[in-house]
Amino acid sequence: MEKPSYLKSAEDTKIFNELRKKVNQRVENIKENRDIYIQIKAVLLPLIYIGLYVFALINVEKSLLYILSFVLMGIMLVLIYLNLIHEAAHNNIFKNKRLNSWVLQIFDFVGANSYIWKKRHIASHHAYPNVDGWDTDIEQSGLLLIVPWIRAKGVQKYQHLFFFLVYPLYLFNWMFIRDFRDFFDKERVILKTQGAIPVVEKVKMVVYKLFYFFYQIVVPVVFFKVSIGLAIGAWFLQVITASIFALFVLLPLHPLPDNAFPKLDEKNSLPYSWIRHQLEVTNDLTNNNWMIRNVLGNFNFHVAHHLFPNYSYMYYNEITEEIEEFAREHGLVYKRFPIFTALGKHVELLRQNANNAYYILEE
């Protein structure tokens, strides 16, 4: 199938080149190599995750400490994703691509799959954000409807009433269903951009999954005499915690009623140029503090990431200042909301889609 094409606009290309020049000059004037801080995290965060696991095993007789350690491992899993996995996929931690690849493989040890996730993120989400049928991040699950111009069916008509029961299961779906479907289901979106998946990657995916469940559940039960109930319960709470934390970070950035979900025409063309598309489908968050910048990987500056993914999040503060000023000067769309406002907007999107608001407005 032919891949979507963006609207060709010489004026917009000129505008983006002007913005890129401003951003490059701004970053070049920062003499400090800030990426060193992410490189330190590349060692520190996995060690903390392992340390929490070891701490749990040496405290198996203290159930609350064991459970708490696993819950904290869930939080660390998300921090590893935000600070390391995401940046490694863009080769933004080290100049050496092999080192970035090694960091990316940490994902395989925490229940996900680094190979297919990078394909999803780079070739699908970054290439066609919020484009139905091409962006894996909005691929329809059946239970919840994200794209406004698709009619809600069955339980989707009530999704705004039960979504809070589904979202805590986000990573369970990822571990047990999504990865397997992306590898083996020929109808999945990822295969439009990925093509055939090497057999060795399919084998590695299964082996890593088995190893993950081996050390998470089998090792505590068999070698440390943890009860099956406690082992499964602690792991379950870990994944629930990680799911809620991850979605708290990810949901406010694309799937909002204020952001576009561009439709392809009969020629598989998109209505916006590349730069305008990124601005139409992405928003920032007004929240900006030490914790967001240094602990949560500057997820609040998501527009900067989509326009300039070759820079690490350590430079997004300055890059966003340039983007905001440039957008104001050139009349470009730029959206920024407080995080809880954005989360509320996401719930409103679910409600509107459940009620088929798009079709009501069309009529």
Side-chain angles (χ1 to χ4, degrees):
M1 181 181 293
E2 183 180 353
K3 294 180 181 180
S5 59
Y6 287 98
L7 177 69
K8 291 179 173 60
S9 168
E11 179 62 25
D12 285 356
T13 299
K14 180 181 177 182
I15 286 174
F16 180 65
N17 287 336
E18 184 181 342
L19 173 60
R20 181 165 52 191
K21 183 177 179 180
K22 286 178 175 291
V23 166
N24 289 343
Q25 289 176 344
R26 181 69 180 272
V27 174
E28 287 170 4
N29 288 332
I30 300 172
K31 302 304 180 184
E32 179 187 20
N33 176 20
R34 296 180 181 174
D35 291 338
I36 187 67
Y37 299 111
I38 309 180
Q39 293 166 11
I40 293 172
K41 292 179 185 179
V43 176
L44 184 61
L45 295 183
L47 286 178
I48 294 175
Y49 181 88
I50 294 170
L52 288 168
Y53 176 70
V54 172
F55 183 78
L57 294 182
I58 63 178
N59 286 280
V60 293
E61 295 181 357
K62 301 174 182 177
S63 299
L64 289 180
L65 280 181
Y66 183 87
I67 293 171
L68 178 61
S69 298
F70 269 71
V71 168
L72 292 176
M73 284 170 65
I75 294 174
M76 286 307 306
L77 187 160
V78 179
L79 295 184
I80 287 171
Y81 166 79
L82 293 174
N83 289 275
L84 303 181
I85 305 304
H86 188 250
E87 294 303 309
H90 290 280
N91 293 309
N92 286 341
I93 302 179
F94 300 100
K95 293 181 179 179
N96 187 313
K97 289 187 177 182
R98 179 174 293 183
L99 292 178
N100 287 299
S101 177
W102 289 349
V103 173
L104 185 63
Q105 289 179 45
I106 294 172
F107 222 22
D108 298 314
F109 292 93
V110 293
N113 181 267
S114 61
Y115 174 84
I116 205 67
W117 181 82
K118 183 175 181 179
K119 297 295 183 183
R120 289 185 196 128
H121 188 68
I122 303 297
S124 177
H125 175 63
H126 267 269
Y128 313 107
N130 271 23
V131 178
D132 180 53
W134 291 89
D135 180 2
T136 58
D137 282 11
I138 61 168
E139 190 167 13
Q140 302 307 307
S141 66
L143 287 176
L144 300 179
L145 177 64
I146 301 297
V147 179
W149 45 266
I150 295 178
R151 281 193 180 276
K153 300 177 181 179
V155 295
Q156 293 173 346
K157 295 179 180 180
Y158 309 98
Q159 63 183 16
H160 56 301
L161 302 176
F162 67 79
F163 73 92
F164 61 92
L165 298 175
V166 175
Y167 279 165
L169 305 177
Y170 172 64
L171 290 183
F172 290 104
N173 177 69
W174 191 335
M175 292 175 181
F176 291 109
I177 300 174
R178 186 183 183 188
D179 282 347
F180 286 93
R181 289 191 67 188
D182 279 352
F183 270 96
F184 299 105
D185 186 345
K186 295 181 180 180
E187 301 300 319
R188 298 291 282 179
V189 166
I190 189 61
L191 294 181
K192 295 180 182 179
T193 55
Q194 158 63 30
I197 297 174
V199 174
V200 65
E201 293 297 337
K202 296 179 180 180
V203 173
K204 284 168 61 178
M205 186 268 288
V206 174
V207 170
Y208 275 120
K209 295 277 188 186
L210 291 174
F211 178 72
Y212 169 76
F213 290 109
F214 175 74
Y215 82 79
Q216 287 275 336
I217 297 175
V218 176
V219 168
V221 171
V222 174
F223 299 100
F224 291 86
K225 308 305 179 185
V226 175
S227 69
I228 294 178
L230 177 58
I232 294 178
W235 170 76
F236 185 82
L237 288 176
Q238 174 194 151
V239 181
I240 289 285
T241 302
S243 297
I244 295 172
F245 187 18
L247 289 177
F248 183 83
V249 174
L250 300 175
L251 285 178
L253 304 174
H254 288 291
L256 306 184
D258 306 73
N259 293 334
F261 291 82
K263 296 178 70 172
L264 292 163
D265 64 18
E266 63 279 0
K267 295 181 180 179
N268 226 31
S269 300
L270 290 161
Y272 304 113
S273 65
W274 181 85
I275 180 175
R276 292 185 186 273
H277 183 99
Q278 309 308 315
L279 293 170
E280 290 286 350
V281 305
T282 314
N283 63 273
D284 279 350
L285 301 175
T286 57
N287 311 75
N288 184 16
N289 53 50
W290 183 91
M291 181 175 179
I292 290 175
R293 289 193 300 272
N294 296 282
V295 178
L296 300 184
N298 250 344
F299 75 93
N300 53 322
F301 293 143
H302 207 60
V303 174
H305 175 61
H306 271 265
L307 290 178
F308 300 98
N310 56 311
Y311 285 116
S312 78
Y313 65 79
M314 297 301 298
Y315 299 94
Y316 286 173
N317 196 61
E318 288 83 359
I319 293 174
T320 299
E321 289 179 0
E322 294 295 331
I323 292 172
E324 189 170 12
E325 180 181 354
F326 191 85
R328 189 165 50 247
E329 291 175 353
H330 290 77
L332 298 172
V333 172
Y334 175 74
K335 295 160 292 199
R336 178 185 285 186
F337 310 110
I339 186 169
F340 288 107
T341 298
L343 288 168
K345 285 177 176 292
H346 175 73
V347 176
E348 178 62 17
L349 175 70
L350 295 179
R351 187 191 67 78
Q352 289 178 10
N353 291 351
N355 294 327
N356 288 315
Y358 173 87
Y359 288 95
I360 293 174
L361 291 173
E362 284 289 294
E363 294 169 0

